[in-house]
Amino acid sequence: MKRCSSGSSEEGNSNASVAASSFTPDEEPTIPVSDPRSLGQHPQPSLGVERQERSQNAGSRHPSARIRRQSSHINWKPAHSRNSSRNGLNEKELLAQPQAPSILATSSPEDGAGVQGGKMADRRLPGRRLWTRSPWASTLTTFLTALAGITLFFTIINSSATRQLDPKGCRMSYMSPRYVHMSDFDTEHTRFASKYSLYLYREAGICDDTMVSGIPVLFIPGNAGSYKQVRPIAAEAARYYHDMLQHDPVAADAGVRNLDFFTVDFNEDFSAFHGQTMLDQAEYLNEVIRYILSLYLDPKTSRRRDPDLPDPSSVIILGHSMGGIVARTMLVMPNYQSNSINTIVTMSAPHARPPVSFDSQIVKIYDDINNFWRHAYSQKWANNNPLWHVTLVSIAGGGLDTVVPSDYASVESVVPETHGFTVFTTGIPNVWTSMDHAAIMWCDQFRKVLARSLYDIVDTGRASQTKPRAERMMVFKKWLLTGMEDNAEKSLSQAEPQILLTLDDNSNTILGQGERLVLRHLGHTGRASAHLIPVPDPSPLERKRFTLLTDTALDHPGDNGRLEVLFCTIFPLQPGSSNILFSMNMDLSGDSNGSTRLACKNAAPDLITLPRSTQDTHLPFYRDGEQPTSPFSYLEYDLEDLGEHQFVAVIDKAVSQSPGWVVAEFSDESNYSLTSQVSLQRLLTFGVRLQLPAERPMVTELRVPAIESSLLAYNLEISRPQCGNEAFAPLVRQFLSQPYESKFFVNAREVKVSLHGAAPYVPPPMKAKRSPDGLGFQFWADPTCDSGIHIKLQVDPLGSLGKLYMRYRTVFAAFPLLIVTLALRKQFRVYDSTGVFVPFIDSLDSCLRQSLPLLLLSLTLFGLSVGHPDSSHLAGFWLWKNTTGGIDFAQNDLLVGTTDPFFWFLIPMIGLTCVGVCTAFHYMALLLTSIFCVIYGWFATSRACAHQDDKRRAVSPMFVPSSPRRRVITTSILLFLVSTFIPYQFAYVVACLVQLSTSVRALRFAREVPSLANSNFYNYVHSIFLLMLWVLPINLPTLVVWVRNLAVQWFTPFSSHHNVLSILPFILLVETLTTGKMVPRVTSRLRHLTSVLLFSIAIYAAVYGVSHAYMLHYLVNIVAAWLVAAHSTTDSFTFAGLRSLFDGDFTDDRKQGKSP
């Protein structure tokens, strides 16, 4: 195989030929002063030695390598060094003169930049110049710090994937979907008809009619969601109405009709990344609602609808993910039809804050809609509140949702308790499982509950098609909450007595005061019997509570089951009047004349279902393919809820002995309620240990006020002696009162505890708590087992690390810029003072020794001061202050998103992690440029071999800079497209690619011709490339939205992201760097401006970077503009120097001859 002579690299001056001599590792290559690849900032060999080496090397080189090479017009020197010969300076004078690139970078002859750079290099690396160091080299300090950061990063990732995980329990749902395209909804109704579509869902085999006849429900898909996601809920609603409600006269009289589900096809738009897309969808949906309501007015489309019913005036909204936010946005749009929406149910929707803050318009939309809702509900009078009749229910999937943190689903900062609430699926009765972001739409047990709750709130007798707001809230709480919340409403006190119970005193049991009822079997007497538990008198000193737990379903009035619970009072009226007052007569007196009559109410409407907990159960739910399990029945009443009732009657209706048990009792608050006032610091160190005595109530409640944060995970251990005759295994409920989150653990021994309480960056609730409730636990244990229970609660450190991932993953779009800008700031400071642009890794090492620890310490102290209770007066100094009713809803926008001083360590922890990530990213970028450099070198060498007959060295045209005129035209066209059609994010990606190309060429030259000039330039363009790469994630989402619009043939340009000034400095900077011009040194006072700008970006990235990440692009854009200004200066501070942005002065160089 023929070997090609390599020769030296390309030249920028066509009249100056350079011979790249071969040299040993201990020698330096000879670089003539006139070589445009040298900067003249380091000592040069004498001309005699140069000529001697050049002649010796010329004799030993291949003949084809001795020819004069074609100029590539690449110049790594500033203009002043290239014009030195024209100023009448000989070579020796040039070497002795200090560099003075421009008036902005003035230097005196005494500066001695080259000497200082050499001395600094000798001090840091004895016997070796700094610019000759390998870019892969790293100090021990940087290596160990980066290793610790990367180890911490992967530990967090591993913990998130393997520890403190919620079990999956969703059962698959099945349906027969049919979608009816509403083609009449065209451009006459909306300008988005060519982009979006409207469909009516029908379940095949259940309802094949395309006419509307029921209650309109509109489903809104989320980010990149499909309109077909409506099918599980819509199918369940259609089947439930067809099988259960269609022929039920009670339901018909209550105004229940079938639900007409409409769904919207958004072509899987990325609404989470682009604010204008959200506004477009909201505008379109308001037109959709207007069209849907018109269908019920048209006899052609509503023939099957009862003409006596009022015409619908509102639509029920179901929103998934960002669809829930779009639903709330609809109410603030100009085309919103008043009162057309009064019920919004969202699933996994980030109400509290945007998932990412890369787009300024999304942040503004969130601020606008949240402020509108808060202001509306802060009005004193209902007439002044446009949202008075609107209810908002947010359903979160919990820990399995890794797309949107379930903390963001909280609406406590948006609506009061009277108009909405947040609930987690782990606490919804008969669901009891966490769900991922997509499963919440198809989970079988959840869709059943949601469909039944929707039928419970509808009323076709009203124009709104729904019950009044207060009734709707009661219905949603009944179906979605556990019923054990502090504000749970009981129907017992509002119900009227329905049952007249007649007893024979000789055949029924009346327990003594304070005695516990325990039934091990049902039907042991062979006939129906009643067990009466007397209701104690209320005491002003201590609260009492009644609890009942059984594994048997409780009967409603008229049911023929085995167990019924009644609350009774003595009935004093005369016989014969019972048929008038009571709908049912229950006579348990037998053949004897019963002397006791009780007026009773059935307790089944207040029934609470609990997951079954036995020695054979392991999860609170059953999966597909497993044997279904029936839940426990539980009743819980405070003594004041019982009112004037005198007895609790437990009716055993079984006529033969059958399995089943009942435990019921009254207990004092001092026995069933415990509070641990342990501090979070002590909890982290020693944990909580508790011993429940053998003589304890069936249900014990423990509250730990210190546990509120969602950043910590815990291990709960429950140990007890074996009990051979226990009715049920210990059952544990973990709960929060705000938001409503409950988790159940059956057959509990070792419990993994994680919660969604006080979360980073989540605004505080509208109504502040008087005192923190913290995390609560309820323990159900068989009280007949004569043994105590030992409870141990400890923090899980490794499990807690995993909780940081979901809460702080967006921090990697902002906090690394703190590291990069500090390192770049150090590089510029060293360069301006010594003339050496040190490598990025060396600059990072210098920052790790001084500036970075000091900055992290200052930020930590700042965070502690902000979180101090006396720092509320500082709130007025922060930007984006957002207060309503005296509550600062932006108080968690700073730093790491929490004002809890306990988490002071998060700032240095995140800083350490980001150092490791930035270091790894630096080496990845270096590897990428090295690979392209090798490919470029191979390509250039291959071309040279192929053209040896032409006696000419070939250079790949893809790396040859174009002419100034072409660059001006290309830049102008790009800016014109940005201002008219394409978003500036597209131009930014192009700028990053151009900068990558420049880095590759710079690395190629630095390797082929090692010199301080080439090393400086490569380090400079590499650091700028790193800075641009860390800003790239902020710009990519909008670009993805734009490309998606093109894919669906929506060519309407964005009404946003066309600001030319947002991209012009970046374009000018990368175009300047393609000419090979090094930024001039700034030795005047203006050098501090570079430090101030970069330091400001570092501070902003740490303080506001997560909440307002989009601002980082604009701040870096300002730095780019400053660097462009520095590049444009030549000999004086005039705008004439701007010509050098597109003119490398190679024309003048070409006219200049060789240096003598």
Coordinates of all heavy atoms in Angstrom, one line a residue, residues 715-740:
N715 N -38.2 4.0 56.7 CA -38.5 2.6 56.9 C -39.3 2.4 58.2 O -38.9 2.9 59.2 CB -37.3 1.8 57.0 CG -36.6 1.7 55.6 OD1 -37.2 1.6 54.6 ND2 -35.2 1.7 55.6
L716 N -40.5 1.8 58.1 CA -41.3 1.5 59.3 C -41.3 0.0 59.5 O -41.7 -0.8 58.7 CB -42.7 2.0 59.0 CG -43.8 1.8 60.1 CD1 -43.4 2.6 61.4 CD2 -45.2 2.1 59.6
E717 N -40.9 -0.3 60.8 CA -40.9 -1.7 61.2 C -41.9 -2.0 62.3 O -42.0 -1.2 63.2 CB -39.5 -2.1 61.7 CG -38.4 -2.0 60.6 CD -37.0 -2.4 61.1 OE1 -37.0 -2.9 62.3 OE2 -36.0 -2.2 60.4
I718 N -42.7 -3.0 62.1 CA -43.7 -3.4 63.0 C -43.5 -4.8 63.5 O -43.5 -5.8 62.7 CB -45.1 -3.3 62.4 CG1 -45.4 -1.9 61.9 CG2 -46.2 -3.7 63.4 CD1 -46.7 -1.8 61.1
S719 N -43.2 -5.0 64.7 CA -42.8 -6.3 65.3 C -43.8 -6.6 66.4 O -44.2 -5.8 67.2 CB -41.4 -6.4 65.8 OG -41.2 -5.4 66.8
R720 N -44.2 -7.9 66.5 CA -45.2 -8.4 67.5 C -45.0 -9.9 67.7 O -44.6 -10.6 66.7 CB -46.6 -8.0 67.1 CG -47.0 -8.7 65.7 CD -48.3 -8.2 65.2 NE -48.6 -8.7 63.9 CZ -49.1 -9.9 63.6 NH1 -49.5 -10.7 64.6 NH2 -49.3 -10.3 62.4
P721 N -45.4 -10.4 68.8 CA -45.4 -11.8 69.0 C -46.5 -12.5 68.1 O -47.4 -11.9 67.7 CB -45.6 -12.0 70.5 CG -45.3 -10.7 71.1 CD -45.7 -9.7 70.1
Q722 N -46.3 -13.7 67.8 CA -47.2 -14.5 67.1 C -48.5 -14.6 67.9 O -48.5 -14.9 69.1 CB -46.7 -15.9 66.7 CG -45.6 -15.8 65.7 CD -46.0 -15.3 64.3 OE1 -47.2 -15.5 63.9 NE2 -45.1 -14.7 63.6
C723 N -49.6 -14.5 67.2 CA -51.0 -14.6 67.8 C -51.7 -15.6 66.9 O -52.1 -15.3 65.8 CB -51.7 -13.3 67.8 SG -53.3 -13.4 68.6
G724 N -52.0 -16.8 67.5 CA -52.6 -17.9 66.7 C -54.0 -17.7 66.4 O -54.5 -18.3 65.4
N725 N -54.7 -16.9 67.1 CA -56.2 -16.7 66.9 C -56.6 -15.3 66.5 O -57.7 -14.9 66.8 CB -56.9 -17.1 68.2 CG -58.4 -17.4 68.0 OD1 -58.8 -17.8 66.9 ND2 -59.2 -17.1 69.0
E726 N -55.7 -14.6 65.8 CA -56.1 -13.2 65.5 C -57.0 -13.2 64.3 O -56.9 -14.1 63.4 CB -54.8 -12.4 65.1 CG -54.1 -12.9 63.9 CD -52.9 -12.0 63.6 OE1 -52.6 -11.1 64.4 OE2 -52.1 -12.3 62.7
A727 N -58.0 -12.3 64.3 CA -59.0 -12.2 63.2 C -58.4 -11.6 62.0 O -58.8 -12.0 60.8 CB -60.2 -11.4 63.7
F728 N -57.4 -10.7 62.1 CA -56.8 -10.1 60.9 C -55.4 -9.7 61.2 O -55.0 -9.5 62.4 CB -57.6 -8.9 60.4 CG -57.7 -7.8 61.5 CD1 -56.9 -6.7 61.5 CD2 -58.7 -7.8 62.5 CE1 -57.0 -5.7 62.5 CE2 -58.8 -6.9 63.4 CZ -58.0 -5.8 63.4
A729 N -54.6 -9.6 60.2 CA -53.2 -9.2 60.3 C -53.1 -7.7 60.4 O -54.0 -6.9 60.0 CB -52.4 -9.7 59.1
P730 N -52.0 -7.1 61.0 CA -51.9 -5.7 61.1 C -52.1 -5.0 59.8 O -51.5 -5.4 58.8 CB -50.5 -5.5 61.7 CG -50.3 -6.8 62.5 CD -50.9 -7.8 61.7
L731 N -52.8 -3.9 59.8 CA -53.1 -3.1 58.6 C -52.6 -1.7 59.0 O -52.9 -1.1 60.0 CB -54.6 -3.1 58.3 CG -55.0 -2.1 57.2 CD1 -54.4 -2.5 55.8 CD2 -56.6 -2.1 57.1
V732 N -51.9 -1.0 58.1 CA -51.3 0.3 58.3 C -51.8 1.2 57.2 O -51.8 0.9 56.0 CB -49.8 0.3 58.3 CG1 -49.2 1.7 58.5 CG2 -49.3 -0.6 59.4
R733 N -52.2 2.4 57.6 CA -52.5 3.5 56.6 C -51.6 4.6 56.9 O -51.5 5.1 58.0 CB -54.0 3.9 56.8 CG -54.3 5.2 55.9 CD -55.6 5.7 56.3 NE -55.9 7.0 55.7 CZ -56.4 8.1 56.3 NH1 -56.7 8.0 57.6 NH2 -56.6 9.2 55.6
Q734 N -50.9 5.0 55.9 CA -50.0 6.2 55.9 C -50.8 7.4 55.2 O -51.3 7.2 54.1 CB -48.7 6.0 55.2 CG -47.9 7.2 54.8 CD -47.0 7.0 53.6 OE1 -46.5 5.9 53.4 NE2 -46.8 8.0 52.8
F735 N -50.9 8.5 55.8 CA -51.8 9.6 55.2 C -51.2 11.0 55.5 O -50.5 11.2 56.5 CB -53.2 9.4 55.8 CG -53.3 9.7 57.3 CD1 -53.7 11.0 57.7 CD2 -53.2 8.7 58.2 CE1 -53.8 11.3 59.1 CE2 -53.3 9.0 59.5 CZ -53.6 10.3 60.0
L736 N -51.6 11.9 54.6 CA -51.4 13.3 54.7 C -52.7 14.0 54.6 O -53.6 13.5 53.9 CB -50.5 13.8 53.6 CG -49.0 13.5 53.7 CD1 -48.3 14.0 52.4 CD2 -48.4 14.2 54.9
S737 N -52.9 15.0 55.3 CA -54.2 15.8 55.3 C -54.2 16.8 54.2 O -55.3 17.2 53.8 CB -54.4 16.4 56.6 OG -53.4 17.3 57.0
Q738 N -53.1 17.2 53.7 CA -53.1 18.2 52.6 C -51.8 18.0 51.8 O -50.7 18.4 52.3 CB -53.2 19.6 53.1 CG -53.5 20.7 52.1 CD -53.6 22.0 52.8 OE1 -52.9 22.4 53.6 NE2 -54.6 22.8 52.3
P739 N -51.8 17.5 50.6 CA -53.0 17.1 49.8 C -53.5 15.7 50.4 O -52.8 15.1 51.3 CB -52.5 16.9 48.4 CG -51.0 16.6 48.6 CD -50.6 17.4 49.8
Y740 N -54.6 15.2 49.8 CA -55.1 13.9 50.3 C -54.3 12.8 49.7 O -54.6 12.3 48.6 CB -56.6 13.8 50.0 CG -57.5 14.9 50.7 CD1 -58.2 15.8 49.9 CD2 -57.6 15.0 52.0 CE1 -59.0 16.7 50.5 CE2 -58.3 15.9 52.7 CZ -59.1 16.8 51.9 OH -59.8 17.8 52.5

